[in-house]
Amino acid sequence: MGFILMGSFFFYSIVPLKHKWKVLLIFSYLFYFINSGKYIVFILFSTLSIYFGGLLLNKIDDGFSMAKKALPKENKKEFKSIIGWQKKCVCVSIVLLNLGILVYLKYSVFFGQVFCDLLSIFHIKISNPMQNMMLPLGISFYTLSAISYIVDVYRGKYKASDNLGKVALFLVFFPHIVEGPIGRFDLLGDQVYEGHPFDYKNATMGLQLVFWGLFKKIVIADRANMYVNQIFNFHDQYDGLYVIIGMLLYTLQLYAEFSGCMDIVRGSAQMFGIEMSENFARPFMSKTVSEFWRRWHMTLGAWFKDYVFYTISLSKAFMKLSKKTREKFNAFFATLIPTSIAMLAVWFGTGIWHGASWKYVMYGIYYCLIMILGLLTEPLFRKLFEKMHVNREGKIYKALQVVRTFIFVNIGMLMFRADDLKIFGQMFISMFRNLSWDPIRYGELFDVRIGMSDFLLLLFGAIVLLLVGLYQEQGRHIREDIATKNIVFRWVLYYGLIFSVIILGAYGSGYEVAGFIYAQF
């Protein structure tokens, strides 16, 4: 990606403003072709499907606007209903086409095995006819972006673009194609297409964010990866504190890597004058699991809220269900039951989006159950705390909430990293077996693939992340604040960051090359 970034930035800076978008499009397709080869046809198909589908929706809307002027008032409602049905057919067809490709390529083996398992209940044994296939780069991310585009046009949020290049660049823009953030056309389309003159502040600020992301990825995540792989790959050889540290380091690894990748993405885009959506907002400072997911992978959560939760909640069938629950239950349960059903759909989708495996399905349902349990028990705890005169706004109570949420999240991370649900169960139980401080006291913990110096660097990295997070949590912008300091302080800090990546990075003899975790999704 470094070659693509530098090459595209060079040409982007020298070509005329009106042609800058072409530079991004060419280099984005070049990047995609280098990494996916012939599978580029799938993103081309998605691009053409939403482009022509959007134009067809425009045509239907324009035809209705012209026709309704000449229609008698009594016929307008019927005609509007016909037009609405036509638009729904177009939208659903485009969505199903794009989802169908994703499901076939990513989930056909999983669903094939589910089908075989169901037949085995009736003593019908067949082998899974489906085979694993190569996934196009970023298909899980660009499919969601494509769906958001066509659904937003259908809902009338904006008119479909008649510029194929603009729609194509929106989907294939190289910084976000691998791991997101999941783009929305109304936020990104104009930015990537309109062209921006070279701006020294954007270039330097973007580079700072890129190096900060590299620090998180190379110094922290890749170093933690060594210990994590050893524990999870040979889980039957470890228990107690070894597994707990492995779980905690995986949480640190995933956060440092994924948020680091987002920093690289956003920094790369900022160099071109393009502002991309944030995907993380200090998630480990959350007081509840629902708050955690509003701060973690924010664009994915927002996508499921806008296109799954609201779609279900506002459907006619759901409205009828809500009406029936209001008739049979009190106000609390009348709201809780329909909300829980919509949440279950969202979290099933969130889980399986991550991968074709039951562990990912349960990963989503795990968080769903915690949230539903929280809603269900909230009235009980509210009354209990009132009787006990517990100050729920106090610092101690909020700190305990953060710790509780952190524990729930780490259990979820253990499930996410384990090879399957059976291994997750074994590792969860093994955390409480032979639990003692002896591995630290005798130094045995520090001989698992990495040494004491690596653990100290991980501790240092975690503290840096914590301090930066606390600073940002106060509403302050660290890069802007650094820019106001004197030049000596600034460049000492910049060079310190650059050389820490070069000197402290986990690469070379004894280290493993670690790819981006979310790239596999």
Side-chain angles (χ1 to χ4, degrees):
M1 183 173 173
F3 162 75
I4 296 294
L5 176 60
M6 291 298 104
S8 58
F9 182 71
F10 172 76
F11 286 104
Y12 190 86
S13 301
I14 62 175
V15 301
L17 203 64
K18 64 179 182 179
H19 296 302
K20 288 182 182 294
W21 71 272
K22 297 175 184 176
V23 172
L24 293 180
L25 187 63
I26 291 169
F27 274 90
S28 292
Y29 274 120
L30 177 62
F31 174 76
Y32 199 89
F33 181 75
I34 290 172
N35 288 279
S36 275
K38 63 184 180 180
Y39 293 98
I40 195 172
V41 298
F42 290 106
I43 196 170
L44 290 172
F45 176 83
S46 288
T47 301
L48 292 173
S49 70
I50 64 170
Y51 173 71
F52 287 111
L55 292 183
L56 185 53
L57 290 174
N58 279 357
K59 186 177 179 181
I60 294 172
D61 278 333
D62 293 341
F64 174 66
S65 298
M66 293 178 63
K68 72 178 182 180
K69 296 176 182 178
L71 283 172
K73 187 175 181 180
E74 59 271 17
N75 294 338
K76 286 183 178 179
K77 186 175 181 180
E78 182 182 355
F79 188 65
K80 185 177 181 180
S81 178
I82 294 172
I83 293 298
W85 175 249
Q86 290 177 348
K87 289 181 62 179
K88 184 175 287 186
C89 286
V90 172
C91 180
V92 170
S93 297
I94 301 300
V95 169
L96 290 179
L97 276 173
N98 283 275
L99 269 182
I101 292 172
L102 175 63
V103 169
Y104 177 71
L105 293 176
K106 188 173 180 179
Y107 302 102
S108 56
V109 174
F110 173 71
F111 288 121
Q113 189 58 50
V114 170
F115 179 70
C116 293
D117 292 342
L118 287 174
L119 289 180
S120 68
I121 296 174
F122 303 99
H123 305 289
I124 302 172
K125 295 184 178 181
I126 62 171
S127 58
N128 190 346
M130 309 308 296
Q131 296 180 349
N132 284 312
M133 284 164 284
M134 179 75 176
L135 284 179
L137 181 69
I139 186 172
S140 296
F141 293 94
Y142 76 69
T143 298
L144 297 192
S145 293
I147 291 172
S148 73
Y149 174 84
I150 201 69
V151 172
D152 284 347
V153 172
Y154 165 75
R155 290 176 174 175
K157 187 176 182 180
Y158 46 77
K159 298 284 284 185
S161 174
D162 59 359
N163 187 322
L164 179 58
K166 187 175 183 178
V167 176
L169 184 53
F170 157 67
L171 274 193
V172 80
F173 184 46
F174 73 88
H176 78 155
I177 193 65
V178 179
E179 293 195 40
I182 298 166
R184 302 288 184 94
F185 188 77
D186 54 324
L187 301 176
L188 195 58
D190 288 337
Q191 285 197 78
V192 295
Y193 184 76
E194 62 193 4
H196 305 272
F198 174 80
D199 183 270
Y200 177 78
K201 181 180 178 181
N202 279 334
T204 54
M205 287 285 191
L207 276 174
Q208 290 171 30
L209 198 53
V210 167
F211 274 102
W212 173 236
L214 289 172
F215 173 83
K216 290 157 80 172
K217 161 66 176 162
I218 298 175
V219 177
I220 302 175
D222 288 358
R223 179 168 273 102
N225 179 64
M226 303 287 289
Y227 184 94
V228 169
N229 279 350
Q230 179 69 18
I231 297 298
F232 281 87
N233 291 344
F234 303 96
H235 61 90
D236 55 332
Q237 299 178 18
Y238 299 96
D239 54 23
L241 198 60
Y242 292 98
V243 180
I244 293 173
I245 297 299
M247 176 183 67
L248 293 174
L249 284 185
Y250 178 68
T251 301
L252 175 64
Q253 176 195 354
L254 186 61
Y255 173 67
E257 179 175 301
F258 196 12
S259 67
C261 179
M262 291 303 98
D263 290 334
I264 294 170
V265 166
R266 293 180 60 243
S268 300
Q270 188 174 1
M271 291 172 64
F272 299 102
I274 298 167
E275 189 69 29
M276 301 198 74
S277 301
E278 286 198 45
N279 225 13
F280 291 89
R282 286 80 60 196
F284 295 106
M285 297 181 184
S286 305
K287 294 181 285 295
T288 64
V289 167
S290 57
E291 182 188 352
F292 173 83
W293 277 97
R294 289 195 298 271
R295 291 168 172 250
W296 175 281
H297 208 341
M298 294 157 65
T299 55
L300 179 68
W303 192 95
F304 273 98
K305 181 184 71 175
D306 292 344
Y307 302 106
V308 178
F309 185 83
Y310 288 147
T311 299
I312 294 173
S313 299
L314 300 176
S315 66
K316 290 182 180 180
F318 202 81
M319 292 296 185
K320 289 180 181 179
L321 175 64
S322 297
K323 184 179 179 181
K324 288 183 178 180
T325 55
R326 285 195 298 271
E327 292 171 354
K328 296 184 177 182
F329 301 98
N330 60 33
F332 176 75
F333 283 102
T335 301
L336 178 66
I337 293 171
T339 300
S340 298
I341 293 172
M343 286 175 62
L344 186 61
V346 166
W347 285 101
F348 175 85
T350 302
I352 204 167
W353 177 87
H354 285 88
S357 168
W358 282 114
K359 76 162 184 176
Y360 292 120
V361 173
M362 289 307 302
Y363 173 74
I365 292 175
Y366 165 76
Y367 282 108
C368 181
L369 291 177
I370 290 175
M371 292 182 193
I372 291 173
L373 188 62
L375 292 173
L376 190 62
T377 57
E378 171 57 24
L380 175 65
F381 280 111
R382 185 172 60 248
K383 291 179 181 179
L384 179 64
F385 289 140
E386 285 176 358
K387 288 183 179 180
M388 296 176 64
H389 304 290
V390 174
N391 180 14
R392 301 184 74 181
E393 297 301 318
K395 291 182 179 180
I396 295 177
Y397 181 81
K398 289 182 178 180
L400 291 174
Q401 283 183 301
V402 171
V403 172
R404 176 200 61 187
T405 302
F406 184 72
I407 293 171
F408 282 140
V409 168
N410 273 276
I411 294 171
M413 293 297 185
L414 181 66
M415 186 188 303
F416 191 77
R417 178 59 178 81
D419 290 340
D420 54 44
L421 289 173
K422 181 181 178 181
I423 292 174
F424 160 70
Q426 292 172 349
M427 294 186 72
F428 182 79
I429 293 171
S430 71
M431 286 194 299
F432 306 98
R433 191 168 56 239
N434 298 323
L435 187 58
S436 73
W437 293 107
D438 288 350
I440 292 179
R441 186 184 307 162
Y442 299 113
E444 296 168 350
L445 185 72
F446 310 114
D447 292 329
V448 181
R449 291 302 304 273
I450 57 177
M452 174 67 81
S453 60
D454 289 304
F455 271 99
L456 290 175
L457 278 172
L458 285 172
L459 180 61
F460 167 74
I463 292 172
V464 170
L465 291 181
L466 176 62
L467 293 177
V468 170
L470 290 171
Y471 190 86
Q472 293 173 327
E473 194 70 5
Q474 298 172 7
R476 304 174 72 175
H477 303 281
I478 192 164
R479 286 183 295 156
E480 287 78 358
D481 290 350
I482 290 172
T484 63
K485 306 300 181 183
N486 68 73
I487 190 169
V488 174
F489 176 84
R490 292 202 312 270
W491 282 101
V492 167
L493 202 60
Y494 297 156
Y495 277 113
L497 179 60
I498 293 169
F499 282 107
S500 67
V501 172
I502 296 171
I503 298 171
L504 303 179
Y507 39 71
S509 178
Y511 291 102
E512 299 172 352
V513 177
F516 285 102
I517 295 172
Y518 260 76
Q520 66 183 296
F521 304 131

